[in-house]
Every structure is written in C-alpha cells, then in structure tokens.
Amino acid sequence: MADLKKLAEELSKLTVLEASELVKSLEEEWGVSAAAPVAVAAVAPGAAEAVEEKTEFDVVIKETGPKKIDVIKVIRQLTSLGLVDAKTMAETAGSKVMTQVGKEAANEAKEKLETAGAVVELA
C-alpha cells in the first residue's frame, strides 16, 4: 500500500492546472467522473463543524448514593465550599459541582465522586 502521507504531500504541491490534468487522466483511466466526489466533499466540511468535539464540561451530581459523607468530602476537595454548602450540594440532585472545566479535570472529578458513591454525569 502506498504511503498516504507522502502521497498527500506530493498532491499538495501540485498547481491548479496540474491537479486538473491529474483529475482528467484519472477519469479517463478508471472510467469515472469526479463530479460526484466533489459534491460530497463540499458537504463534508459542514458536517464536520456540526460534530465539533466538546471541550468544556459541567460535573453534575445526579444522586449522592449511600455514602453521603464521603461525597461531601470529595465536593469540598474539588471546590472551595464550606461544609454546609457542600452538604446542600450533595443533597440536591442536579447540582453542578464544577462548571466549564476541561475534559481531564471533569473526568478526574467524576471518577473521585463515583468512587465516593455518587452518580455523576458530565454535561
């Protein structure tokens, strides 16, 4: 199989005229038309934008679970909340422990809270 990276580099060095000649010669050799792939390529960038990867997450407690004290301790570690506020957050379903944090931080917080017994969701 050809080295695709090298092939892509070589193709990117072609002038517009050379690329046009390449398309014509490939159409003749393979008996195909480049019109359909061009139309598909025009749609693809719009589709790629719609599936943009999310970079900021909210860590939301869905349920505290049986170990409420452990969950409160983890909430206090993750935030700067006092005991009363952390307890209120742990008891309120749908509370956002962390908002607009990176993927790694959100996953770490989720893992800590789930280890403590909470049911957590990243939104």
Side-chain angles (χ1 to χ4, degrees):
M1 182 169 192
D3 183 13
L4 297 179
K5 199 173 223 179
K6 184 177 179 182
L7 183 60
E9 287 175 15
E10 291 296 319
L11 288 174
S12 67
K13 295 177 185 176
L14 294 178
T15 65
V16 175
L17 183 59
E18 291 170 332
S20 175
E21 290 174 10
L22 175 63
V23 169
K24 286 179 187 176
S25 68
L26 291 176
E27 285 177 337
E28 289 174 9
E29 186 175 334
W30 294 337
V32 296
S33 173
V38 171
V40 172
V43 174
E49 291 173 15
V51 186
E52 207 170 294
E53 187 175 335
K54 192 171 180 180
T55 58
E56 293 183 338
F57 298 88
D58 294 339
V59 181
V60 180
I61 293 183
K62 289 295 181 186
E63 185 181 322
T64 303
K67 301 178 185 175
K68 185 164 65 170
I69 294 174
D70 292 340
V71 173
I72 293 169
K73 287 179 182 178
V74 173
I75 290 172
R76 292 192 67 202
Q77 288 174 357
L78 296 172
T79 65
S80 59
L81 295 176
L83 181 59
V84 174
D85 293 330
K87 180 180 180 285
T88 302
M89 182 177 284
E91 292 172 341
T92 307
S95 295
K96 292 182 182 180
V97 178
M98 301 173 82
T99 57
Q100 302 298 308
V101 294
K103 188 174 187 176
E104 284 185 33
N107 283 330
E108 285 179 26
K110 180 180 179 185
E111 186 178 319
K112 287 179 182 179
L113 287 164
E114 286 177 342
T115 300
V119 177
V120 181
E121 175 184 74
L122 298 182

